Amino acid sequence: MTADTADLTDDETGRIREQRGWYFYDFACSVYSTSVVTVFLGPYLTSVAKAAADADGFVHPLGIPVRAGSVFAYSVSVSIVLAVLLMPLAGAAADRTGRKKPLLAVAAYVGAGATAGMFFLDGDRYLLGVALLIVANASLSVSMALYNAYLPQIATPEERDAVSSRGWAFGYTSGAFVLVLNLILYTGHESFGVSESTAVRICLASAGVWWGAFTLVPLSRLRDRRVEKAGGSAGEEALGTGWRQLMATLRDMRRHPLTLSFLLAYLIYNDGVQTVISQASIYGSEELGLDQTTLITAVLLVQVLAVVGALGMGRLARIHGAKRTILASLAVWTVILAAGYFLPAGAPVWFFGLAAAIGMVLGGSQALSRSLFSHLVPRGKEAEYFAAYEMSDRGLSWLGPLVFGLAYQVTGSYRDAILSLVVFFVIGFALLARVPVRRAVAEAGNPVPERI
């Protein structure tokens, strides 16, 4: 028996202490996702790349001609490939050695350091921005896989929906707070005596400082669990390539087909969620003709209401179960896309209404998916399985943008493109509805909560 089987018998005070420390990693790193990826880095890195471009608008990294406007998207893609290679390897090493915390610390501080280094991204140094983005994005993915793997160890089955929801709420709270501070600096940069470019670089770097500073809280409160060593040296199976370890994890998942079925459903509907978030600004600017201030305000509204939504859906899950609550959120997502199709151009009030609706279901659907998956993971394989889960969340979310892009290419309409994403929520709903979650929990060898 591993030490994980005894985790849930820990005294309540110690468990709550760990939970409170755990929340703060969401609080620490969510600022990167909000201020850096969603708001500032894409446009700024594109402007830096354009400053380095030739007369035809191309830059030439490693001698390869790349349009300056594509640099950000390609950098994100490369970071995903790197994360796919690293996450299974880190997860397997964490499970076989029981040392999640040192690995979490390395991933977090490499990512925070790369983000803080974005302060030096200016002029035409786009390659520096590319390198820092790749490192920071991949580090975030690895750290989140390790962070999520703590959930089944620090919360009883009955607590997990609420604990996961509070973590997401902490993250959205910090994202909204820092975004407000960043927007004050950005919009009033002249009164602060700095240029617009310097203001953006301060906003980028401040996210890294915030990430690193608040990571100290979970590192001081979370604890590693000792594990029994099976045959061979500790971590022996973690050696090799990330792809080989991923294949080993997926082969192991075949022994738990219901867990794999849930992961497939999550992969599909979460791809839809991530695509809506990433393409909403394009839809707002290109199709609805909204200005940058309106779009940034909408992002802030999503952040604030996602806190309320995450906590509210956590309460609903305690009454109706996580699966039913997630299914209801997917139905709401479908209605949101249908409403988005009919939004009138040049009407920010209606766009804010859509952003509010997204905020109310965004945090809850993600938080409850994480907690539900935690019930389906065999003991002793938390980090390994959550690495695969994190890859579904971050590493494999390419199909939605492809469908969106193809729909726009074929129809020439962003309205048709946004409506095309309904298919992800419909298929995800159908697949999740077919998963008998109580039986899946039992077959994973875990206690079945009263409501799930």
Side-chain angles (χ1 to χ4, degrees):
M1 182 179 73
T2 70
D4 289 333
T5 60
D7 288 340
L8 299 182
T9 65
D10 290 347
D11 68 279
E12 186 175 359
T13 301
R15 193 170 71 247
I16 291 175
R17 174 182 168 81
E18 280 198 273
Q19 289 171 5
R20 289 174 176 169
W22 185 80
Y23 300 148
F24 268 91
Y25 192 68
D26 255 322
F27 191 83
C29 69
S30 292
V31 172
Y32 170 83
S33 298
T34 304
S35 290
V36 176
V37 176
T38 305
V39 176
F40 288 110
L41 185 57
Y44 184 68
L45 180 57
T46 299
S47 69
V48 173
K50 286 181 177 179
D54 59 22
D56 296 320
F58 286 86
V59 291
H60 299 269
L62 303 177
I64 302 170
V66 175
R67 285 195 181 277
S70 299
V71 166
F72 178 73
Y74 288 149
S75 300
V76 172
S77 297
V78 173
S79 74
I80 289 172
V81 173
L82 180 60
V84 165
L85 293 171
L86 293 178
M87 280 191 291
L89 188 59
D95 284 334
R96 284 159 178 75
T97 64
R99 294 177 59 79
K100 291 184 182 70
K101 192 158 68 170
L103 292 169
L104 174 62
V106 170
Y109 282 107
V110 169
T115 306
M118 292 177 186
F119 179 79
F120 301 102
L121 175 59
D122 62 353
D124 60 358
R125 292 191 281 183
Y126 77 97
L127 286 176
L128 174 63
V130 167
L132 293 174
L133 171 58
I134 290 171
V135 171
N137 243 21
S139 297
L140 177 67
S141 295
V142 172
S143 70
M144 286 301 295
L146 297 165
Y147 162 74
N148 287 337
Y150 273 102
L151 180 59
Q153 297 180 330
I154 64 172
T156 65
E158 290 75 17
E159 294 173 331
R160 287 181 199 166
D161 290 342
V163 170
S164 182
S165 296
R166 289 189 201 113
W168 278 105
F170 265 58
Y172 284 116
T173 299
S174 71
F177 176 70
V178 174
L179 185 56
V180 168
L181 297 180
N182 287 340
L183 288 179
I184 291 172
L185 174 62
Y186 177 72
T187 57
H189 62 87
E190 291 182 355
S191 62
F192 288 102
V194 297
S195 66
E196 181 178 343
S197 172
T198 301
V200 171
R201 292 189 292 118
I202 291 173
C203 292
L204 295 172
S206 66
V209 173
W210 181 282
W211 184 358
F214 284 99
T215 294
L216 293 172
V217 179
L219 293 180
S220 68
R221 294 197 172 190
L222 293 173
R223 63 182 180 86
D224 284 329
R225 272 75 174 168
R226 294 172 57 190
V227 296
E228 287 185 358
K229 293 181 175 62
S233 61
E236 179 181 348
E237 294 178 54
L239 297 176
T241 68
W243 282 109
R244 194 164 64 207
Q245 182 54 52
L246 173 62
M247 293 301 104
T249 301
L250 293 178
R251 283 196 298 271
D252 186 76
M253 279 188 176
R254 290 169 59 186
R255 300 190 298 112
H256 304 282
L258 297 181
T259 299
L260 195 57
S261 296
F262 171 81
L263 193 61
L264 177 61
Y266 173 75
L267 185 155
I268 292 173
Y269 71 72
N270 184 65
D271 201 352
V273 170
Q274 298 303 321
T275 306
V276 171
I277 298 304
S278 66
Q279 303 302 319
S281 292
I282 294 177
Y283 183 69
S285 61
E286 298 297 325
E287 185 68 34
L288 304 181
L290 302 175
D291 59 32
Q292 187 68 21
T293 301
T294 298
L295 297 176
I296 294 176
T297 304
V299 171
L300 182 58
L301 182 61
V302 169
Q303 293 295 119
V304 172
L305 291 180
V307 177
V308 179
L311 296 176
M313 287 180 64
R315 290 180 180 274
L316 287 175
R318 288 201 294 273
I319 300 171
H320 302 290
K323 177 183 173 180
R324 287 191 181 94
T325 307
I326 295 170
L327 288 172
S329 77
L330 298 182
V332 173
W333 275 107
T334 303
V335 172
I336 287 171
L337 291 177
Y341 179 84
F342 293 104
L343 278 187
V349 173
W350 290 104
F351 190 73
F352 288 148
L354 196 69
I358 289 174
M360 292 301 292
V361 293
L362 174 63
S365 57
Q366 292 175 316
L368 294 178
S369 297
R370 176 171 66 183
S371 61
L372 181 54
F373 184 69
S374 73
H375 293 285
L376 309 181
V377 177
R379 283 197 183 104
K381 298 191 175 182
E382 291 85 2
E384 197 172 329
Y385 272 55
F386 266 108
Y389 177 88
E390 189 68 14
M391 288 169 61
S392 299
D393 188 9
R394 299 177 188 276
L396 300 180
S397 294
W398 54 270
L399 186 57
L402 177 62
V403 169
F404 184 91
L406 288 175
Y408 176 73
Q409 181 172 327
V410 171
T411 67
S413 168
Y414 281 108
R415 294 184 186 273
D416 292 335
I418 204 75
L419 193 62
S420 71
L421 300 179
V422 166
V423 68
F424 291 92
F425 297 101
V426 172
I427 295 176
F429 183 103
L431 292 176
L432 178 59
R434 292 174 57 87
V435 178
V437 291
R438 300 185 69 84
R439 181 154 62 92
V441 174
E443 291 184 3
N446 295 320
V448 182
E450 182 179 349
R451 290 197 181 277
I452 191 171

